[in-house]
Amino acid sequence: EIVLTQSPGTLSLSPGERATLSCRASQSISSTYLVWYQQRPGQAPKLLIYGASSRATGIPDRFSGSGSGTDFTLTISRLEPEDFAVYYCQQGKTFGQGTKVEIK
Amino acid sequence: EVQLVESGGGLVQPGGSLRLSCVTSGFIFSTYSINWVRQAPGKGLEWVAYISSSGSTMYYADSVKGRFTISRDNAKNSLFLQMNTLRAEDTAVYFCARGDLRVFDIWGQGTLVIVSS
């Protein structure tokens, strides 16, 4: 069974800064199946990125995904106030443990 | 507007049962597979169960296999999760999420299940 490990656990940044979130798989996976979600407090998760690098409908272009094999990255180019949230990567039935992006 | 609305959560004693529902609208329900995903308080996401569009194929997480049953009624655009022999560790917000096991593109707001005496 594939394990997804996200790092860091918490990222403390200021609005306008760049955020780089990592998702590492325990074995090589197809980028087709790597997905990123955003979850704001008290809300359901929201699809951000699918296929490792394709933005979901309505997702601003400050969000980008990249990677292949076992290493994947979600980048938020300039943090907006609404971007402070928890981010999860997913491959099939497995989710990473999440990275919290908090205001510094 | 595509919507999924869960209901049926509540407080139940260990060993008890509960049936969750997820009513959908805004899309052709019978053409989509659907999942249940849960989130324990303060914890991450855990996939629970999957059902194909026709209802002919179901998958379960090992943690719930044999205790939970996923089903659907395509005529009523509804998804269900029958939960039996509930344990304290089943306490969580339960979300229904549209999609196959590659991408969950639409999520409901969730319903809270608390298993406690």
Side-chain angles (χ1 to χ4, degrees):
Chain A
E1 182 179 324
I2 291 174
V3 175
L4 298 177
T5 302
Q6 293 186 240
S7 62
T10 302
L11 201 51
S12 297
L13 295 167
S14 300
E17 289 195 294
R18 181 185 188 91
T20 304
L21 287 67
S22 172
C23 176
R24 178 163 291 176
S26 58
Q27 61 191 77
S28 182
I29 62 174
S30 169
S31 59
T32 301
Y33 301 111
L34 197 285
V35 181
W36 290 94
Y37 300 93
Q38 175 194 67
Q39 187 177 31
R40 296 176 178 140
Q43 295 187 16
K46 175 183 177 182
L47 176 64
L48 286 180
I49 301 285
Y50 63 94
S53 60
S54 298
R55 276 187 301 276
T57 303
I59 301 303
D61 60 7
R62 65 179 180 273
F63 291 92
S64 63
S66 62
S68 63
T70 60
D71 291 307
F72 298 88
T73 300
L74 174 69
T75 301
I76 311 171
S77 58
R78 288 179 56 85
L79 284 163
E80 297 287 342
E82 61 268 26
D83 299 338
F84 292 92
V86 180
Y87 293 84
Y88 295 95
C89 59
Q90 177 212 6
Q91 189 275 331
K93 303 170 187 176
T94 302
F95 290 92
Q97 82 278 19
T99 289
K100 181 179 181 180
V101 179
E102 65 176 21
I103 299 176
K104 186 175 181 180
Chain B
E1 180 189 5
V2 175
Q3 276 196 316
L4 294 82
V5 179
E6 303 90 338
S7 62
L11 175 63
V12 60
Q13 292 189 338
S17 298
L18 212 54
R19 189 190 195 214
L20 305 184
S21 300
C22 171
V23 176
T24 72
S25 59
F27 65 101
I28 303 174
F29 180 71
S30 61
T31 64
Y32 285 87
S33 50
I34 309 282
N35 301 265
W36 287 100
V37 178
R38 69 184 179 184
Q39 186 170 38
K43 302 296 184 183
L45 302 170
E46 179 189 15
W47 171 82
V48 172
Y50 158 96
I51 189 166
S52 61
S53 57
S54 66
S56 60
T57 301
M58 291 83 78
Y59 301 121
Y60 298 93
D62 288 345
S63 57
V64 307
K65 201 172 295 182
R67 300 187 298 122
F68 289 12
T69 302
I70 189 172
S71 62
R72 64 191 295 160
D73 183 339
N74 283 348
K76 295 184 178 179
N77 297 327
S78 296
L79 173 76
F80 306 100
L81 186 68
Q82 178 67 42
M83 305 187 295
N84 298 330
T85 319
L86 282 160
R87 305 167 180 167
E89 55 265 36
D90 296 318
T91 293
V93 175
Y94 285 74
F95 299 98
C96 53
R98 189 181 79 170
D100 58 26
L101 285 170
R102 290 173 296 177
V103 182
F104 302 160
D105 63 345
I106 305 290
W107 297 60
Q109 86 290 347
T111 187
L112 176 62
V113 173
I114 300 173
V115 184
S116 175
S117 54

